[in-house]
Amino acid sequence: MGYRIAVVGATGNVGREMLNILAERAFPVDEIAVLASRKSLGSEVSFGDRTLKTKDLDTFDFTGWDMALFAVGSEATKIYAPKAAKAGCVVIDNSSLYRYDADVPLIVPEVNPQAVHGYSKKNIIANPNCSTAQMVVALKPLHDRATIKRVVVSTYQSVSGAGKGGIDELWDQTKSIYNPTDSKPPKQFTKQIAFNVIPHIDVFMDSGETKEEWKMVAETKKIVDSKIKVTATCVRVPVFVGHSEAINIEFEDFLDEDEARDILREAPGVMVIDKREDGGYVTPIECVGDFATFISRIRQDSTIDNGLNLWCVSDNLRKGAALNAVQIAELLGRECLKKG
């Protein structure tokens, strides 16, 4: 017997990717409902070899459904997630709404799978921020070996992290550069994104950091270890899909780069591509459509006693969002609901 699954926000980039991954991974689905706002009602989406029509989220009854994968913004989630949870349907939420709630587990299955048992407090599980998800997959096995004291991370985040509007803006601005009569001023981003980089993701906070940077700090502490100190600089770059991160790690104990490489090769969800030659590393364009988090450029940091540098790349629509949500659903089914 399989599960009755609802995908909320099924017409968006992440919702469609959730459907693709559920089908690819042969998730045990007995019945699936694809839900969207009234303006998208009747739109068609693909699920494996089937075509499904969206239903109205506003009138949908979650009673009798096992899990709902939410891929909508915080405002819609605030309205509909509690309804689903109250009806007995476990919500796996991709928005930021519940990530910092002490009664809601924040899960990356390769990192803190044991946290899934806390889902019953609110019947909600939170999916982390895309930039955090790929980083903690790399950090956790190294932390288990040598205990991480501090992380300094700079991100190079693709425009798909801002949704379809971000993708369209990069595409339209890039074309307009070669057509001076067709100016495309920034709307989705604060400055031109084509042929540019913007050190600003989400809103600025009183501390001077952006909300995206704060998320990486708070979520790493919640998922991996509250004692880890994290500082982040998050940058939007003119790449369609795939987030990259340059990560500097300081450990309590010495960790040799060769041992770190071996540890990461054995770590779940990680693929090490690290050759010290031209092209011996992974770039965002090469990770698109892949489930793995790719690690390259592993090397000692000689400026501190116990330091390493590495380069981390992942498909943000997959590991950073849709894949992680489906992996949580698999974990929930395997450990708690036990139907599939």
Side-chain angles (χ1 to χ4, degrees), residues 20-317:
N20 290 338
I21 293 169
L22 284 166
E24 283 176 30
R25 292 171 73 90
F27 189 88
V29 173
D30 260 5
E31 187 177 354
I32 190 159
V34 289
L35 310 179
S37 63
R38 198 155 288 172
K39 67 179 182 181
S40 299
L41 196 59
S43 299
E44 293 185 342
V45 292
S46 297
F47 175 61
D49 56 4
R50 295 161 58 190
T51 299
L52 307 175
K53 281 193 174 182
T54 57
K55 297 178 180 180
D56 185 5
L57 171 60
D58 198 41
T59 58
F60 187 78
D61 183 1
F62 287 94
T63 305
W65 291 81
D66 296 300
M67 305 181 209
L69 277 60
F70 270 62
V72 290
S74 293
E75 290 304 311
T77 299
K78 189 184 298 183
I79 298 168
Y80 298 104
K83 289 182 179 179
K86 189 177 179 181
C89 176
V90 183
V91 171
I92 300 170
D93 177 33
N94 197 59
S95 81
S96 62
L97 184 63
Y98 292 104
R99 289 177 188 158
Y100 317 107
D101 186 324
D103 290 331
V104 174
L106 179 65
I107 295 176
V108 175
E110 298 94 333
V111 177
N112 61 336
Q114 70 286 348
V116 75
H117 295 282
Y119 83 93
S120 58
K121 289 180 181 176
K122 286 194 173 177
N123 242 18
I124 297 171
I125 300 171
N127 212 28
N129 188 44
C130 49
S131 51
T132 306
Q134 68 186 72
M135 182 172 77
V136 297
V137 168
L139 294 183
K140 181 59 163 61
L142 301 177
H143 181 61
D144 288 345
R145 161 62 181 82
T147 308
I148 295 171
K149 289 171 59 177
R150 181 171 184 255
V151 175
V152 181
V153 57
S154 297
T155 71
Y156 307 76
Q157 293 178 230
S158 66
V159 294
S160 57
K164 184 178 181 297
I167 294 173
D168 290 344
E169 187 153 311
L170 174 57
W171 177 250
D172 291 340
Q173 281 185 355
T174 301
K175 290 189 294 182
S176 75
I177 297 292
Y178 298 99
N179 182 0
T181 64
D182 183 31
S183 175
K184 298 290 182 184
K187 293 179 182 176
Q188 189 75 28
F189 304 112
T190 55
K191 297 198 176 192
Q192 176 185 310
I193 185 61
F195 303 95
N196 198 16
V197 297
I198 305 171
H200 177 191
I201 301 177
D202 212 323
V203 298
F204 276 97
M205 304 177 74
D206 290 342
S207 62
E209 64 189 339
T210 64
K211 188 75 176 289
E212 185 82 358
E213 292 157 356
W214 177 86
K215 288 174 188 175
M216 293 194 75
V217 176
E219 292 174 21
T220 301
K221 288 176 175 290
K222 185 171 179 179
I223 296 168
V224 183
D225 189 332
S226 61
K227 298 184 186 71
I228 296 175
K229 295 179 180 179
V230 182
T231 182
T233 301
C234 293
V235 182
R236 191 73 74 189
V237 298
V239 169
F240 285 111
V241 179
H243 287 357
S244 305
E245 297 170 349
I247 307 173
N248 176 265
I249 311 166
E250 182 181 359
F251 298 92
E252 295 276 1
D253 304 316
F254 178 76
L255 179 59
D256 177 77
E257 63 187 40
D258 292 326
E259 185 183 356
R261 200 173 287 111
D262 290 340
I263 289 168
L264 289 168
R265 283 200 177 105
E266 297 298 319
V270 172
M271 181 74 71
V272 175
I273 307 291
D274 188 21
K275 297 178 181 178
R276 293 177 178 178
E277 59 187 45
D278 292 353
Y281 41 81
V282 174
T283 57
I285 203 165
E286 296 160 294
C287 78
V288 175
D290 208 298
F291 289 142
T293 294
F294 292 89
I295 306 296
S296 308
R297 302 294 318 281
I298 302 166
R299 62 204 187 277
Q300 228 74 50
D301 176 3
S302 61
T303 67
I304 52 177
D305 288 338
N306 302 317
L308 282 177
N309 290 300
L310 55 83
W311 174 251
C312 176
V313 178
S314 191
D315 181 332
N316 56 293
L317 294 179

